[in-house]
Amino acid sequence: MGGSRRFLDSASQPTCWGNKVLSVDFFKGAVHMKCELCKKNEATVHLKQASDSKVKEVHLCEECAAKKGFNVQSPLALTDFLFGLEIQQQTEPDGIDEACPNCHMRRSDFRKTSRLGCVQCYETFSDELTPLLAEMQKGSQHVGKVPKSEKIPGEIASLRRKLDEAVASQNFEEAARLRDAIRGMKEKNVS
Amino acid sequence: MLVDDLVKSPGSWLSMARDTGIVISSRARLARNVRDTAFPAWSSKDELVRLCNNLRGAFERISTLANPLFFDMGALGPVDKDVLRERHLISNELVEKQAGSGLIVAEDERIAIMINEEDHLRLQSMSSGMNLRAVWKKIDAVDSELEGYVNYAFSPRFGYLTACPSNVGTGLRVSVMMHLPGLRLMNEIEPAIRGLNRMGIEVRGILGEGTEASGNMFQISNRTTLGETEDAIIDQLIQLAKEIVEHEQNARARLMEQKMVYVLDHVERAFAVLSHAHVLSSGEAVELLSGLRLGIELDIVENVTVGRINEIMLLTQPGHLQKIAKKVLDPEERDEVRAQIVKQKLKGISIKG
């Protein structure tokens, strides 16, 4: 019976894992501190989030937690709630609220709703997205399905990455081979 | 085909063919957007209407979708929308939308495509029982064909681009709906959920986004969508679902060994109330039907199938109830009609002697 129960091991298991897996624990404790958001009420909702890089704690009062969409009766959708909080709590960079040139969504809009406005936003706000994605996803590089029309640009991008690596490690023969391969792909793409 | 016609059949994917009891259903969902329009929350009404019409046209030309039916969210009343939501064809979010958002249903409700919900497209495939690879294959085929008609928003770095970064990359969310009364009655459900959370798996209640797990029904799904292939995501969920099924079976076995009287009481009370009540609230019905379902699977109750329980669970939800009664009902009237339907559908059921 013991062997198959691995993921039911108790909370004494370390909550940090080798890969970027998030662990979220919700506990109502006897820790006496003020709510991080309103700074007035006693914090009764304590969330602990562990990923492979750090452990983060968030302490809120029931009111603020509820306002942020957290249902204290149902701790099932914790990860989404924390993801939303994560985005909203990033510190303001030097007061410049830049906007996407295509759809005019501002950084502050993104923080408020946790949603982007258009495809261009991924580029506009990439500095903010990169660390966010690294934390909340399993990686920050897509390795799954690629639409047929994107297959060649995707392969070119992948070969370019390898070319950069080859140059950096001074493997110039490999770099030349990759450069030729990229040229071949580009010609294929045009036809 | 109106929503009324849908109500007449309990959705063939609910049929008993692959229903093991513990895993009720499997679902694969892909989030996709097109390049030249802002994401739905940031688009104008006109843009959304235009896009919805274009997408509708594209779906009518696709061969992998047999007989697609289109529903315009602007043309449906609240009861109709509830019916669609109860059949897991639309989300709470799409219920709130009006013209410019729509739903395409195909293959006896096994395929449902939401247009202009959080993303331009949410492609969904469902099946009864544990059938994740098949639902993925189906929706993958629809997606691949749609590629030829639509300019998908995609970046080699971030993958398929979505309104919310939590869906970016593969845009894939696979989930299974499970019935876990054993773990619940043995008080082992909380550690199981925490264990799953640690593995990057999300657990939600029966009604979708972040609600109470009523009736011991849990939906488990992958949390991450970027940095892994679709096959890796699916393999992991299948593996974990299998483990939970084992744990549930294990818990039920221990329940029967150690708490037999308690289990009999739980099941037979459910049987008694469902067979005789004149008034049933939806919350109460869901809990009791869970007890009865357990009773079927533990061979305590006879002359009723799990498929019949699935049917009752669907028909006793508020939208379906009102469709059957053919009028709008207030909560008290719904509770009466619900009790009537339950009694009627459970005729002949008995405790095994």
Side-chain angles (χ1 to χ4, degrees), chain B residues 174-191:
Chain B
V174 278
S175 60
V176 287
M177 180 92 78
M178 311 186 80
H179 182 229
L180 306 174
L183 287 171
R184 170 78 91 180
L185 291 171
M186 293 296 273
N187 285 317
E188 287 164 14
I189 202 77
E190 297 283 330

Side-chain angles (χ1 to χ4, degrees), chain B residues 82-121:
Chain B
D82 276 348
V83 167
L84 294 176
R85 182 168 42 90
E86 289 160 10
R87 296 173 96 82
H88 305 288
L89 299 171
I90 65 176
S91 62
N92 284 329
E93 186 158 342
L94 200 72
V95 166
E96 303 301 318
K97 304 279 189 184
Q98 299 300 326
S101 295
L103 168 72
I104 301 217
V105 176
E107 318 231 341
D108 291 328
E109 299 174 55
R110 284 197 190 86
I111 305 263
I113 296 161
M114 294 197 287
I115 299 176
N116 293 330
E117 191 235 23
E118 181 181 301
D119 293 298
H120 294 143
L121 287 165

Side-chain angles (χ1 to χ4, degrees), chain A residues 50-159:
Chain A
S51 62
D52 69 338
S53 49
K54 60 185 193 286
V55 175
K56 195 160 86 155
E57 289 186 9
V58 173
H59 305 274
L60 305 173
C61 68
E62 269 192 49
E63 265 172 53
C64 289
K67 252 189 254 153
K68 288 288 179 182
F70 176 68
N71 179 356
V72 298
Q73 308 301 330
S74 158
L76 297 179
L78 283 183
T79 48
D80 261 9
F81 170 70
L82 277 175
F83 179 63
L85 259 195
E86 181 97 31
I87 296 182
Q88 287 166 43
Q89 283 182 325
Q90 303 270 350
T91 47
E92 285 293 332
D94 307 325
I96 304 170
D97 197 9
E98 36 170 332
C100 171
N102 185 39
C103 70
H104 312 296
M105 165 175 269
R106 295 162 305 173
R107 194 181 289 275
S108 52
D109 294 319
F110 171 45
R111 295 217 183 133
K112 233 187 302 182
T113 62
S114 312
R115 291 181 187 181
L116 296 162
C118 73
V119 166
Q120 178 78 9
C121 289
Y122 273 89
E123 213 178 309
T124 313
F125 302 118
S126 70
D127 57 338
E128 190 140 337
L129 282 169
T130 309
L132 208 61
L133 290 173
E135 169 118 8
M136 304 303 298
Q137 296 282 5
K138 281 228 164 96
S140 50
Q141 170 63 48
H142 178 62
V143 295
K145 182 178 181 182
V146 175
K148 281 184 225 66
S149 62
E150 297 282 335
K151 275 215 158 58
I152 292 187
E155 277 166 24
I156 291 177
S158 161
L159 285 173

